[in-house]
Amino acid sequence: MREQISKLRDLVEQQKKKPAARVLAVSGGKGGVGKTSFTVNFAIALSQRGKRVLIIDADFGLANIDVMLGVSVLNDLSSVINGQKELRDIVAQGHQGVKFISGGSGVIDLIRLDEAKVLRLISRLGQLDDLADIILFDTSAGISDIVMRLVRSSNEAFIITTPEPTAIMDAYALIKTLDRYHEAPPLHLVVNMAATSREGREMLEGFTRVVGKNMDVQIDRMGYILRDPAVVQAIKAQVPFLVGFPGCMAAQNIQDIAARYLDVPGTEHKGQGISQFLNRFLRRQSEVVG
């Protein structure tokens, strides 16, 4: 056991020396806020700006990024964990060069890994830093333990909400739950399906003001996306709206968010990269403190 732990530490130290990807979680307090649509189109916008982007679909309850990216997959992260497949075998490519991995049950399986599988997985996941500059985890909706661990272990997190009262309350509950832990990553707020630009701006300002008043959490107002009929058409056509309707207003909003995000400096501490993400994920305790 001690030898395995020593090897684990050596692997983590080796990964620290490599160029590290920025690991982002994309989450929302409830379903139906457009979290997955944002993830896919945001990834495409980043790819168009020269970034190598990889999405890991961690929405094990309703995984559908493969449909949005027009990719059919047979294997997921659990195949790598169980030693059935190599990492390169499960990486698929969608629109605009965006790469994609189905998390499937593998995300939950991470919690139950023994030391031998941890070593095997870290040695393989370290390859992701060579494949991508930015890794996006599309999480499930809600505040389950697995979602909290994914968000807390990431370098940064996007919180997606809409102007609907239930979506606002659930997003607030998600952030409040994060605040009860000792540490949480920098948070970026995106308001989706805003009726007007004014509503989008007021939602960003009002939400962050309330959170700042009641919690010790700082949220970056990353931007808003207007309600756009082209988004509905794109969903029906099973194509990202940034690809099918690049001139629509929602696409411009996404482009603005991507440009603004890339202007925000990356986290400077040594916690970047997928191996460090995995190291934090496996060490997180499920108990809420505070």
Side-chain angles (χ1 to χ4, degrees):
M1 179 65 73
R2 289 183 179 178
E3 182 180 354
Q4 289 179 329
I5 293 175
S6 177
K7 290 181 179 179
L8 173 60
R9 289 173 177 170
D10 289 343
L11 277 171
V12 171
E13 289 301 319
Q14 291 173 17
Q15 298 300 333
K16 286 181 180 179
K17 299 176 182 178
K18 295 183 178 181
R22 296 170 73 168
V23 180
L24 283 67
V26 181
S27 192
K30 69 184 294 292
V33 298
K35 174 180 54 61
T36 299
S37 177
F38 169 81
T39 301
V40 169
N41 287 281
F42 180 60
I44 291 172
L46 292 174
S47 180
Q48 291 174 343
R49 285 167 167 74
K51 297 299 180 182
R52 298 173 304 152
V53 186
L54 171 72
I55 300 173
I56 299 180
D57 192 349
D59 189 347
F60 44 85
L62 191 64
N64 58 0
I65 282 183
D66 55 338
V67 176
M68 289 193 174
L69 285 175
V71 178
S72 177
V73 295
L74 298 176
N75 299 289
D76 56 37
L77 193 57
S78 62
S79 302
V80 178
I81 293 174
N82 296 326
Q84 299 170 341
K85 295 287 183 179
E86 291 296 327
L87 186 65
R88 61 179 178 270
D89 297 328
I90 68 169
V91 177
Q93 183 163 306
H95 296 283
Q96 305 288 310
V98 173
K99 293 182 175 63
F100 158 72
I101 289 177
S102 175
S105 62
V107 176
I108 300 178
D109 291 341
L110 285 174
I111 299 174
R112 298 186 288 269
L113 288 181
D114 58 32
E115 291 294 335
K117 288 186 177 180
V118 168
L119 291 171
R120 182 163 59 242
L121 186 60
I122 285 184
S123 66
R124 284 160 172 74
L125 286 187
Q127 301 171 29
L128 296 183
D129 285 329
D130 299 326
L131 292 176
D133 304 308
I134 298 172
I135 298 173
L136 300 171
F137 275 89
D138 182 41
T139 76
S140 300
I143 55 175
S144 66
D145 175 61
I146 190 72
V147 170
M148 291 296 101
R149 293 181 71 173
L150 284 168
V151 173
R152 293 170 60 216
S153 301
S154 299
N155 297 126
E156 308 162 74
F158 275 78
I159 306 299
I160 314 299
T161 187
T162 72
E164 296 180 1
T166 54
I168 296 170
M169 293 298 294
D170 287 342
Y172 184 86
L174 187 154
I175 296 171
K176 186 175 181 179
T177 302
L178 285 172
D179 187 45
R180 296 171 63 187
Y181 291 91
H182 284 307
E183 58 185 22
L187 302 179
H188 307 295
L189 179 67
V190 173
V191 175
N192 193 22
M193 304 182 202
T196 64
S197 297
R198 179 177 178 178
E199 181 181 55
R201 289 192 298 268
E202 289 180 348
M203 269 293 305
L204 288 169
E205 294 171 2
F207 189 93
T208 53
R209 183 171 59 250
V210 172
V211 169
K213 179 180 179 181
N214 297 322
M215 290 179 260
D216 186 24
V217 175
Q218 295 297 318
I219 306 180
D220 177 54
R221 303 168 187 170
M222 189 55 67
Y224 60 84
I225 303 167
L226 294 175
R227 185 181 296 275
D228 191 327
V231 174
V232 178
Q233 296 178 50
I235 292 173
K236 291 180 179 179
Q238 295 187 353
V239 62
F241 60 79
L242 209 61
V243 174
F245 304 89
C248 73
M249 185 57 67
Q252 183 57 58
N253 296 150
I254 284 281
Q255 295 285 10
D256 291 343
I257 291 171
R260 187 176 189 282
Y261 172 73
L262 292 179
D263 284 339
V264 177
T267 311
E268 297 300 330
H269 60 74
K270 295 182 180 181
Q272 293 205 55
I274 193 65
S275 293
Q276 283 298 300
F277 162 85
L278 181 61
N279 187 43
R280 290 191 298 271
F281 182 88
L282 294 173
R283 293 178 184 275
R284 296 298 185 200
Q285 298 298 316
S286 60
E287 293 82 12
V288 175
V289 298

